[in-house]
Amino acid sequence: LLASGSAFAREAIDYTAAIPSWQAHESRLLSLGWRLARGNASLCLSRQRAIGLSLSRVRRYEDPARARAAMGIGGDVAIAAVAAGSPAEAAGLRAGMELLVIGGTPVVSLADPRGKGNASADALHDRIDSLLVRQGAVTLRIAPRGQPARELTVSGEPVCRARFTMLRAGSHAQTRGFIIEVAVQLLAEARSDDEAATMVAHELAHNILGHW
């Protein structure tokens, strides 16, 4: 329902139901990926510090205005998913929170206005990654729904270098450099987390071995 070019008319999408469903799928993927990337960090020649966070541009939705209203945010960037057991979760970050500033830079200055889909959030993730490399931690300014904006600093943990991305179309998983992409349809077909983790681990192994 959230994919660009959907056959459903905009007014047919129930964003109050669709967005939490999408966030649940992304949180599942990110949580599985986090456990695998952290648990196998000693096997990876390429490692990074990470906090277990995935971001989203509201422009990914067919009707951004209605998506903002459903999420209760006024801007263009929100937390899409938080990995279970990650530093981001421990710091109190949750899916749906609006993100305003990354390391002193407003997100409106970072996001590529020409980007589409997942690519529109790449600059945001790149900014977090670069700060974690230089400082080992990143300071974020967030605006939880119905609460004043606040700043918090999250320290990263060493993991295999990987970025886990949910695809809205197709039924496959693939590795593009350090970016691991999994179609939501494929993830939804995995009845257990163990089954889904096998699929994600397969792609992470390609990543570790440089099979791209």
Side-chain angles (χ1 to χ4, degrees):
L1 289 176
L2 304 181
S4 297
S6 168
F8 293 88
R10 289 185 177 184
E11 56 270 23
I13 299 176
D14 179 4
Y15 282 98
T16 59
I19 290 176
S21 175
W22 181 260
Q23 290 172 344
H25 284 301
E26 287 202 285
S27 293
R28 185 187 187 198
L29 173 60
L30 187 60
S31 294
L32 292 171
W34 173 261
R35 290 179 61 189
L36 290 163
R38 183 176 59 178
N40 292 283
S42 62
L43 303 176
C44 300
L45 295 178
S46 181
R47 290 184 287 271
Q48 67 182 57
R49 286 191 173 273
I51 61 174
L53 187 69
S54 180
L55 304 175
S56 172
R57 298 283 304 281
V58 175
R59 67 171 55 246
R60 76 189 298 182
Y61 300 104
E62 289 187 337
D63 190 331
R66 291 180 59 213
R68 288 188 187 94
M71 298 171 71
I73 67 173
D76 191 41
V77 178
I79 295 174
V82 177
S86 68
E89 183 185 60
L93 294 173
R94 298 292 182 267
M97 289 181 173
E98 184 172 1
L99 181 63
L100 305 173
V101 179
I102 300 174
T105 303
V107 295
V108 293
S109 301
L110 293 170
D112 183 353
R114 299 164 298 175
K116 302 294 183 182
N118 296 319
S120 68
D122 282 348
L124 305 172
H125 291 113
D126 290 345
R127 172 65 172 168
I128 290 176
D129 288 349
S130 67
L131 290 170
L132 289 171
V133 168
R134 297 202 308 267
Q135 305 172 5
V138 59
T139 299
L140 306 174
R141 185 170 180 81
I142 59 168
R145 188 168 190 168
Q147 300 179 31
R150 67 175 186 269
E151 284 192 351
L152 50 84
T153 299
V154 189
S155 297
E157 294 184 15
V159 299
C160 297
R161 186 170 185 246
R163 185 176 295 170
F164 300 92
T165 299
M166 183 74 71
L167 297 176
R168 288 167 284 173
S171 57
H172 64 285
Q174 63 186 20
T175 300
R176 294 190 301 107
F178 72 100
I179 299 176
I180 295 172
E181 300 175 327
V182 180
V184 64
Q185 177 182 332
L186 188 61
L187 187 70
E189 291 173 354
R191 297 185 178 182
S192 70
D193 282 349
D194 286 345
E195 182 181 350
T198 300
M199 172 179 57
V200 178
H202 177 92
E203 297 305 324
L204 182 60
H206 282 304
N207 186 344
I208 293 172
L209 295 171
H211 294 169
W212 59 76

